[in-house]
Amino acid sequence: MRRINLLSENTANKIAAGEVVERASSVVKELVENSLDAESKNLNIEIEESGNKLIRIIDDGTGIHPEDISKAFMPHGTSKIASLDDIYSIQSYGFRGEALPSIAAVSKVKLKSRPSEFEYGREIFIEGGRVVHEIDLGCNLGTEIEVKDLFFNTPARQKFLKSPQREKSLINDLMLKLALGSYKTSMTLINDGKQVFKTFGEDELDKNLRILYGKEVYENVIPIENHGDILSVYGYIGNESISRGSRNRQSIFVNKRLIKSSLITAAVENAFKSFIMVNKFPFFVIYIDIFPEFIDPNVHPTKNEVKFLEDRVLFKTVFDAVHTALKEALRKNFVIPEEEEEEVQPFRQPVERDYAAEVSQLSLHEYPSVTPVREPSRDSEVGNMSSNYIKESIEAFPSNTQVMHESLNTFNKGEMTLAAEVHTNNIIEKPIVTSESRTYRESLAKFPKIKLIGQCFNSYIIGEYMNELYLIDQHAAHEKVLFEKYRKNIGNLNVVSQILAVPAIIPLTFDEYALFKDNEQVFLNMGFVIEDFGDNDILVREVPLFLGNPQMNKLFHEILDNLRGLGSGLTIDVKYDKIASLACRAAVKANDKLSDIEILGLLDELRYIDEPFTCPHGRPTILKYTMKDIEKSFKRI
Ligand code: ADP
Ligand code: MG
């Protein structure tokens, strides 16, 4: 145990001041790091109500000298450095002497501690920065700190906090990273009475990886290692199957400190690039041990960054060391897995739903450059086509493509050139389901009935109407048709689900799990029936009907990544839109060769949806060239 020095005013000022206690998770971080600095072997972390009610950390570290216990709560009270120079040889997490006073100022803190040299320990109780008592008492070796009622005296701060569930998941996620970084210390995290994890102490990085990230990650990583003169690089990287849409599962530890570093991230991603062609972020946990002289940990009060000293040779050494470690491991081990087909069978027969209501939702939007042309109906069946299509799809429903085949067989090809009447300014809300209302329905079309010319690149539909050439992005169009129907059904809480014959088990990290829990009702409203399966795993029992036979694992992670990316404070409609658009994309297969009949069916559906001109992701679905445009291009005019 080292004694505590009070930094001189001057030194203290040199260490940039800053807010250390932003939220409960930053308190947890500071306290755990203090315990780690005290060389604890075992750490017990208990959280209640997202840390707002209680954060309790019990360690078996070196403890605090009884006479120093109140100094620990004074600004700049630290045992870790004595002068600014010490920062550059620092091995500890802390050095600013800011955390305890900052935390004690905004909560009710009780700390008791006993170093091994003493038979009795000492306890201090501080409320909102004011010492209430300090007493000697018998206690275990090490330190126990209890932080209660966080921000009780700064209500303004509470406004900035995320939802309790989200705060809780921030803590869980942070603890995961801290446990990963200090894998030689055994940590037990208990959140609201439930044990989230317990890691092994000692040198059991791989076992801890399994505990913290689960079996799926454990089975899809390979170790990396590269030892040089001034630094060592080691850790694990994951294959494509565990890549994700966010960087959340990328961790870099420099001298055990979790940091963000564009230099190292670039080295890693660069090495990956030549092996994996994905636009996702690979999984990795990378440890770099380097002589402390080469880094500056004092870039930011939260110490989430370190700077490598401004030295091109050093930059290059670090970059190369990481790059080489990865390349070698990738070259030796990497087998890029086949896209895993999940063994999910289609479902039982779904229940009937109210299509009339669905159709009645159609509203009219102007299609800007179409001249309305009235032409009498020749086929009274056509008016009914859309609803027939859906009904038949449901009966037949083996997969999306097949749906199209089956349902479109009823369609009369002779209708191809029928012109449309387009109303431009009124919204019509009457249901249109009978064949008599065919003309009426036609009046709701957003663009005219296009004469089909063909399909190119298995992706684009070519058609003409009057003196205009149309190019339609088939996949975008299909996505949008599904999207609009799905969105309406969600709005009416009328989504039809199918039971998966084999439910999909999806392993989640606890951060993902918390995000899911935050949005459980949203998923339910969207037709996903999901149960807890223990250990942060979930079981998807039912999915929206139109999804067919989805790769649920992939889709679900994509959805969670997107929800996370959107940040907090989202309206439910934004969430619905986001999830629905991802689901619809998953439902639409790329590069299908469509038959004419299928194309016509798709076009017909597209004509009647609310917003046919953009896909759910905002890209255009339809391009139009006038004859004039084309003639100009050929320099005829
Ligand atoms: P810093 O960690 O930057 O030194 P803190 O305010 O976090 O500043 O802590 C102040 C001091 O209190 C530390 O330097 C250390 O001496 C002592 N301390 C805090 N927590 C513990 C602990 N769990 N075990 C032993 N000493 C501790
Ligand atoms: Mg500290």
Side-chain angles (χ1 to χ4, degrees):
M1 178 212 35
R2 292 167 65 182
R3 300 295 303 273
I4 295 179
N5 310 306
L6 287 182
L7 297 181
S8 76
E9 193 78 60
N10 189 21
T11 310
N13 289 340
K14 278 186 193 145
I15 302 172
E19 191 71 85
V20 257
V21 193
E22 272 173 352
R23 52 187 358 111
S25 58
S26 28
V27 174
V28 174
K29 175 172 184 286
E30 293 296 333
L31 298 183
V32 169
E33 288 185 345
N34 277 348
S35 295
L36 292 171
D37 283 344
E39 293 158 35
S40 309
K41 292 277 157 272
N42 293 284
L43 263 178
N44 206 297
I45 301 108
E46 228 176 299
I47 311 288
E48 276 175 31
E49 292 179 13
S50 309
N52 295 324
K53 184 170 171 210
L54 171 78
I55 298 170
R56 182 191 290 126
I57 311 233
I58 304 172
D59 71 38
D60 58 356
T62 52
I64 303 175
H65 192 287
E67 288 167 22
D68 285 349
I69 219 149
S70 60
K71 275 195 209 164
F73 287 90
M74 289 182 189
H76 318 301
T78 181
S79 56
K80 297 165 195 176
I81 59 170
S83 76
L84 183 63
D85 290 343
D86 293 347
I87 288 179
Y88 299 101
S89 55
I90 195 118
Q91 300 278 6
S92 61
Y93 292 105
F95 53 80
R96 303 170 67 103
E98 282 177 337
L100 291 188
S102 311
I103 294 164
V106 294
S107 64
K108 300 168 186 169
V109 177
K110 194 183 273 177
L111 179 146
K112 50 185 170 185
S113 188
R114 178 166 78 87
S116 56
E117 300 90 322
F118 292 83
E119 280 184 17
Y120 283 89
R122 198 163 173 81
E123 175 183 278
I124 188 167
F125 180 59
I126 305 182
E127 218 182 82
R130 197 176 47 86
V131 178
V132 178
H133 73 232
E134 208 187 311
I135 47 168
D136 289 324
L137 82 176
C139 65
N140 289 334
L141 234 131
T143 305
E144 173 175 340
I145 185 164
E146 228 177 54
V147 176
K148 286 187 170 165
D149 301 333
L150 187 60
F151 303 128
F152 79 100
N153 53 356
T154 53
R157 166 70 69 192
Q158 307 203 355
K159 268 197 269 173
F160 295 100
L161 302 178
K162 302 180 186 223
S163 77
Q165 194 65 42
R166 205 62 196 109
E167 291 290 338
K168 184 173 170 180
S169 88
L170 280 177
I171 294 177
N172 283 347
D173 196 42
L174 166 85
M175 280 308 307
L176 180 154
K177 296 272 167 88
L178 289 175
L180 205 57
S182 301
Y183 56 91
K184 293 182 185 172
T185 305
S186 161
M187 295 192 199
T188 309
L189 173 63
I190 296 167
N191 212 329
D192 287 332
K194 188 185 158 216
Q195 179 173 311
V196 182
F197 64 72
K198 179 178 173 56
T199 59
F200 291 93
E202 298 165 27
D203 233 336
E204 315 237 36
L205 178 53
D206 59 336
K207 273 195 202 159
N208 284 342
L209 197 68
R210 180 174 176 140
I211 290 167
L212 295 170
Y213 277 118
K215 184 163 163 270
E216 192 203 7
V217 165
Y218 179 73
E219 286 171 354
N220 286 289
V221 292
I222 53 172
I224 59 162
E225 203 163 359
N226 182 20
H227 300 283
D229 288 342
I230 64 161
L231 79 161
S232 284
V233 181
Y234 57 99
Y236 288 90
I237 54 176
N239 66 21
E240 205 265 318
S241 71
I242 54 170
S243 296
R244 290 280 182 272
S246 81
R247 290 186 199 275
N248 192 44
R249 300 208 295 181
Q250 302 187 335
S251 319
I252 302 166
F253 299 94
V254 172
N255 293 352
K256 307 277 181 309
R257 196 188 290 281
L258 176 67
I259 59 135
K260 297 194 170 84
S261 161
S262 48
L263 177 72
I264 296 166
T265 308
V268 173
E269 293 189 348
N270 192 292
F272 261 106
K273 243 189 236 156
S274 41
F275 287 85
I276 305 178
M277 228 205 33
V278 275
N279 42 11
K280 287 201 221 153
F281 300 106
F283 175 96
F284 62 76
V285 183
I286 290 179
Y287 301 84
I288 294 181
D289 289 344
I290 184 167
F291 287 112
E293 297 85 278
F294 291 110
I295 56 168
D296 178 1
N298 190 32
V299 188
H300 192 264
T302 57
K303 300 179 238 105
N304 285 334
E305 282 170 50
V306 297
K307 236 169 57 191
F308 292 96
L309 294 191
E310 284 294 335
D311 178 329
R312 300 190 63 143
V313 180
L314 178 66
F315 281 2
K316 187 163 176 356
T317 312
V318 173
F319 186 95
D320 287 349
V322 176
H323 199 253
T324 309
L326 262 100
K327 277 230 149 167
E328 271 170 18
L330 285 165
R331 196 171 295 134
K332 261 190 259 161
N333 292 284
F334 233 94
V335 185
I336 299 162
E338 293 285 313
E339 186 84 58
E340 249 177 67
E341 282 294 331
E342 275 160 311
E343 285 183 16
V344 184
Q345 307 293 321
F347 41 80
R348 52 139 204 212
Q349 200 69 6
V351 285
E352 197 53 60
R353 63 179 179 182
D354 184 4
Y355 300 107
E358 206 176 281
V359 179
S360 74
Q361 296 278 324
L362 290 172
S363 64
L364 195 64
H365 287 251
E366 183 177 358
Y367 183 61
S369 46
V370 172
T371 330
V373 179
R374 186 185 291 269
E375 207 178 279
S377 157
R378 274 172 288 156
D379 182 353
S380 59
E381 278 312 297
V382 179
N384 235 347
M385 212 282 299
S386 185
S387 33
N388 277 342
Y389 169 30
I390 307 169
K391 273 190 193 129
E392 295 203 12
S393 313
I394 295 224
E395 272 141 33
F397 211 83
S399 77
N400 281 310
T401 358
Q402 212 170 326
V403 167
M404 269 206 190
H405 278 291
E406 305 247 348
S407 58
L408 296 175
N409 284 336
T410 54
F411 186 67
N412 178 351
K413 229 178 166 182
E415 274 301 299
M416 275 165 68
T417 53
L418 186 73
E421 175 196 64
V422 178
H423 285 200
T424 52
N425 48 11
N426 48 339
I427 293 181
I428 299 166
E429 293 210 317
K430 266 197 187 161
I432 321 118
V433 282
T434 61
S435 50
E436 295 88 66
S437 57
R438 189 217 160 279
T439 321
Y440 183 43
R441 173 176 160 75
E442 190 57 38
S443 75
L444 297 178
K446 307 299 182 308
F447 60 90
K449 193 133 192 155
I450 296 166
K451 182 179 163 206
L452 184 64
I453 298 173
Q455 191 196 21
C456 67
F457 314 137
N458 286 343
S459 294
Y460 301 99
I461 298 163
I462 309 170
E464 68 170 291
Y465 173 75
M466 310 282 271
N467 282 335
E468 288 162 346
L469 178 75
Y470 286 79
L471 278 181
I472 294 157
D473 181 331
Q474 160 199 324
H475 302 107
H478 190 183
E479 244 177 87
K480 189 55 178 274
V481 168
L482 288 178
F483 178 80
E484 263 202 35
K485 283 188 202 154
Y486 186 29
R487 254 331 247 114
K488 276 181 185 148
N489 287 336
I490 295 168
N492 304 331
L493 291 181
N494 196 19
V495 179
V496 180
S497 303
Q498 57 180 337
I499 296 184
L500 297 170
V502 182
I505 298 168
I506 303 181
L508 300 178
T509 64
F510 25 83
D511 178 53
E512 287 169 336
Y513 178 77
L515 199 60
F516 155 67
K517 276 288 178 196
D518 249 1
N519 293 291
E520 203 168 8
Q521 189 61 44
V522 176
F523 283 109
L524 191 65
N525 295 349
M526 298 190 75
F528 292 92
V529 176
I530 301 174
E531 290 166 16
D532 279 336
F533 200 57
D535 287 340
N536 300 315
D537 292 354
I538 55 166
L539 191 74
V540 181
R541 284 204 182 280
E542 298 183 28
V543 299
L545 180 64
F546 74 91
L547 266 179
N549 189 4
Q551 291 200 10
M552 208 46 227
N553 199 347
K554 202 169 151 197
L555 174 63
F556 205 81
H557 280 110
E558 232 169 59
I559 290 175
L560 290 179
D561 281 344
N562 268 276
L563 286 181
R564 183 188 294 109
L566 289 171
S568 58
L570 283 180
T571 65
I572 193 148
D573 279 320
V574 176
K575 289 182 183 177
Y576 283 152
D577 283 349
K578 194 76 214 172
I579 299 175
S581 73
L582 290 167
C584 293
R585 186 166 64 191
V588 174
K589 281 206 252 143
N591 283 324
D592 294 331
K593 174 84 183 127
L594 291 188
S595 71
D596 285 0
I597 290 181
E598 288 167 333
I599 292 174
L600 287 168
L602 177 60
L603 287 185
D604 196 71
E605 293 240 70
L606 189 65
R607 292 174 66 215
Y608 296 104
I609 65 173
D610 285 351
E611 310 261 3
F613 305 112
T614 51
C615 80
H617 310 280
R619 292 187 300 271
T621 49
I622 305 176
L623 298 180
K624 194 177 68 175
Y625 303 91
T626 61
M627 193 157 148
K628 220 170 163 187
D629 293 337
I630 294 170
E631 287 183 333
K632 261 192 203 154
S633 308
F634 283 111
K635 306 223 181 299
R636 282 178 171 275
I637 51 172

